[in-house]
Amino acid sequence: MDEADMCSLWRYAAFECLNEECRRQYPLTEKLFACPECGDLLQVAYEPADQAPDPIRAHWRERRLSENPLDHSGVWRFRECLPPIAPRHVVTLREGNTPVYPARFSAQYAGVSNLLFKHLGFNPTGSFKDYGMTVAVSQARALGARVLICASTGNTSASMAAYAARAGMRAIVLIPSENVALGKIAQALEYGAVTLQVKGASFDDVLRLVRELSARPDVYLLNSLNPFRIEGQKTILIELLDQLGWNVPEHLVVPGGNLGNSVALFKAMEELQRLGFIARFPKLTIVQAQGANPLAEAVARGARRITPVPHPRTQATAIRIGYPVNWRRALQALEATGGFCLAVSEAEIAEAKAAIGRDGIGCEPASAATLAGIKRLREERKLAPSETIVALLTGHLLKDPEYTMRYHSGQLEDVLTGRHIRGRLANPPIPVEPRLDAVARYLYDFSLSDGR
Ligand code: F0G
């Protein structure tokens, strides 16, 4: 099948209001981030065209050999699933194409035998945000936007800044003045974004500010309430299934912050099922940090709504969010897939992160909430040891080197209890005299370092 034969999987696409009682539709060519009628969130809704899945799956495979820049992207390679955007508008850094790894140490750590990590941190800007950013920034370009803006706990701003630079657009990022990991701020600065550290503000406060600013003409919002971000992030699941030969894993585990990623994965599941690509859903489990747990708390109470956490606290700063905008759809995802939602402690996150490091992979703290959640579910017997589980690692180890150094040198504080976390996998650097005998004694005597 060549490109000329290939068309979208969709006959028709439009914005649709997510409010059951509204459901109004709007053309995708409008610049919208909320329903003009009722103010609720929007999503892209589609009418499927009549396409058989097999030839499309084969075509996606063939594209791995193509020299077309769009085919080098792990997002645009699956463009038949995306809203229509002309190739001349596409802004790509060859995002996606992230590896899937078995992980023996981590599997043992959690007490399971079939664990895979899909490491989304191996993206051009080091986090999963690039999957959505390439699509949303391309749409911004198609609409003629000139200023890109976002609120961020760090990764969104790094990603948006990079894509804005590629597109030659102005980037304004708003971040809380504290609790943003160093690597992420450094990226925003290096990519040339105007970086505003909003004094005394939390992520939730900052998001309110940018939502207001995005009403201005020319200003385009890049947070996950932008439906085009969600569209791009759907390809995380499509790429994963392509890598797994379309064998649907039993369980998919993600960290939850603003819950955009959870919603994107669920939307991909629904659409793939509707199009005949998959017959069943994996369970989608969402793991939050104990001090930023509005969804887990609502689920534990059996409530239909979340109660915002006014002062969220966690050292996993990426998910330090008290009022996630996508909570309603995330609740639906949990219900429809039979997944769990739980919150893990600061110590559980820290230990799990070090375990992922021991597999030679590593990740940033928020990503490690996944392994901590799997271990907990296993201990509570909510998970069979042989279940096939894919955990999504959302950010690269080097995003937050300060956290990692504090853990290994025994300086990491549990912000909820005020106590230091005593890392069982801590591996501090060892000062040593500049003499052969002093150094050589470490070659084989493991008891001298940390007992490994
Ligand atoms: N993991 C990492 C590394 C993140 O940066 C984020 C969110 C999440 C998980 C949670 O994803 O919001 O889709 O549930 N970071 C955002 C930011 C909020 O501004 O970079 P989510």
Side-chain angles (χ1 to χ4, degrees):
M1 187 187 283
D2 70 24
E3 199 67 26
D5 300 323
M6 207 54 207
C7 44
S8 169
L9 286 160
W10 314 116
R11 203 187 302 284
Y12 164 82
F15 285 127
E16 181 183 72
C17 177
L18 277 170
N19 178 348
E20 297 286 344
E21 277 139 42
C22 177
R23 287 280 174 209
R24 278 186 180 71
Q25 294 207 341
Y26 307 92
L28 294 179
T29 46
E30 287 184 32
K31 193 197 83 159
L32 292 176
F33 308 110
C35 176
E37 195 60 31
C38 74
D40 217 317
L41 295 186
L42 298 170
Q43 68 171 358
V44 179
Y46 297 103
E47 193 64 51
D50 237 351
Q51 294 264 9
D54 278 347
I56 291 170
R57 278 199 273 247
H59 193 59
W60 287 341
R61 279 264 148 144
E62 284 160 22
R63 280 184 180 154
R64 290 183 178 186
L65 300 174
S66 152
E67 287 305 328
N68 177 349
L70 286 190
D71 296 338
H72 285 192
S73 158
V75 172
W76 297 101
R77 190 152 70 85
F78 306 105
R79 53 195 171 273
E80 286 74 15
C81 294
L82 298 175
I85 296 177
R88 71 178 185 285
H89 294 308
V90 168
V91 187
T92 174
L93 280 163
R94 317 295 186 267
E95 51 288 317
N97 300 307
T98 57
V100 176
Y101 298 116
R104 210 157 49 110
F105 191 98
S106 299
Q108 257 172 20
Y109 175 80
V112 295
S113 53
N114 263 321
L115 175 66
L116 295 172
F117 286 127
K118 181 162 176 64
H119 206 323
L120 310 173
F122 290 9
N123 257 294
T125 77
S127 86
F128 74 100
K129 305 288 178 180
D130 297 346
Y131 281 91
M133 207 54 75
T134 181
V135 176
V137 172
S138 301
Q139 175 67 1
R141 180 138 95 175
L143 294 179
R146 291 189 312 161
V147 181
L148 304 183
I149 192 166
C150 71
S152 184
T153 57
N155 280 324
T156 299
S157 55
S159 180
M160 190 194 83
Y163 284 86
R166 299 298 300 172
M169 292 182 196
R170 186 171 172 80
I172 314 284
V173 309
L174 276 76
I175 54 176
S177 56
E178 284 168 25
N179 297 301
V180 176
L182 201 60
K184 304 174 189 181
I185 305 181
Q187 285 180 289
L189 299 177
E190 188 90 346
Y191 301 139
V194 176
T195 304
L196 305 176
Q197 296 179 297
V198 187
K199 291 180 193 163
S202 68
F203 169 82
D204 305 286
D205 304 327
V206 174
L207 184 58
R208 271 192 292 277
L209 285 177
V210 300
R211 284 181 85 163
E212 289 201 23
L213 287 169
S214 67
R216 301 184 183 202
D218 281 2
V219 178
Y220 194 77
L221 173 74
L222 270 307
N223 281 101
S224 64
L225 47 88
N226 180 327
F228 285 86
R229 280 268 317 273
I230 303 291
E231 290 306 300
Q233 286 172 215
K234 287 187 322 194
T235 60
I236 294 170
L237 185 72
I238 301 171
E239 184 180 70
L240 170 68
L241 291 172
D242 179 51
Q243 288 166 312
L244 299 180
W246 291 90
N247 293 309
V248 179
E250 284 162 275
H251 216 133
L252 208 57
V253 184
V254 283
N258 220 10
L259 302 172
N261 212 24
S262 309
V263 164
L265 295 164
F266 178 50
K267 189 167 192 279
M269 288 178 206
E270 286 186 318
E271 290 175 0
L272 290 172
Q273 190 186 49
R274 200 163 154 222
L275 293 163
F277 281 76
I278 59 172
R280 61 170 184 83
F281 293 162
K283 280 180 270 187
L284 182 68
T285 282
I286 304 171
V287 190
Q288 296 194 300
Q290 205 173 301
N293 66 343
L295 189 72
E297 191 274 337
V299 169
R301 276 191 298 127
R304 308 289 313 151
R305 318 181 56 84
I306 61 161
T307 306
V309 174
H311 303 292
R313 285 189 306 162
T314 170
Q315 299 264 63
T317 51
I319 52 174
R320 197 172 192 266
I321 295 176
Y323 188 29
V325 293
N326 295 296
W327 65 267
R328 203 186 301 267
R329 281 280 283 160
L331 273 178
Q332 284 171 5
L334 292 170
E335 233 167 62
T337 68
F340 303 98
C341 184
L342 67 161
V344 290
S345 72
E346 296 294 288
E348 286 175 295
I349 292 174
E351 218 67 77
K353 182 172 124 54
I356 295 166
R358 288 289 178 92
D359 273 312
I361 300 175
C363 62
E364 69 163 282
S367 310
T370 54
L371 184 64
I374 293 165
K375 182 168 165 41
R376 174 91 74 76
L377 289 175
R378 182 66 205 112
E379 282 161 6
E380 293 174 357
R381 299 279 181 272
K382 290 180 176 156
L383 222 164
S386 60
E387 238 174 87
T388 51
I389 308 166
V390 179
L392 299 185
L393 301 180
T394 44
H396 198 280
L397 168 65
L398 294 175
K399 287 279 187 175
D400 196 349
E402 287 178 315
Y403 179 105
T404 307
M405 288 308 292
R406 283 204 299 271
Y407 173 83
H408 287 291
S409 54
Q411 298 299 311
L412 189 68
E413 197 193 317
D414 181 331
V415 286
L416 300 177
T417 63
R419 285 199 289 270
H420 278 123
I421 292 172
R422 214 179 54 79
R424 284 192 300 115
L425 296 170
N427 180 31
I430 305 163
V432 66
E433 295 300 323
R435 291 193 325 269
L436 192 61
D437 63 326
V439 175
R441 57 203 282 259
Y442 289 98
L443 286 180
Y444 306 111
D445 191 347
F446 298 119
S447 65
L448 291 171
S449 52
D450 66 349
R452 259 178 295 167

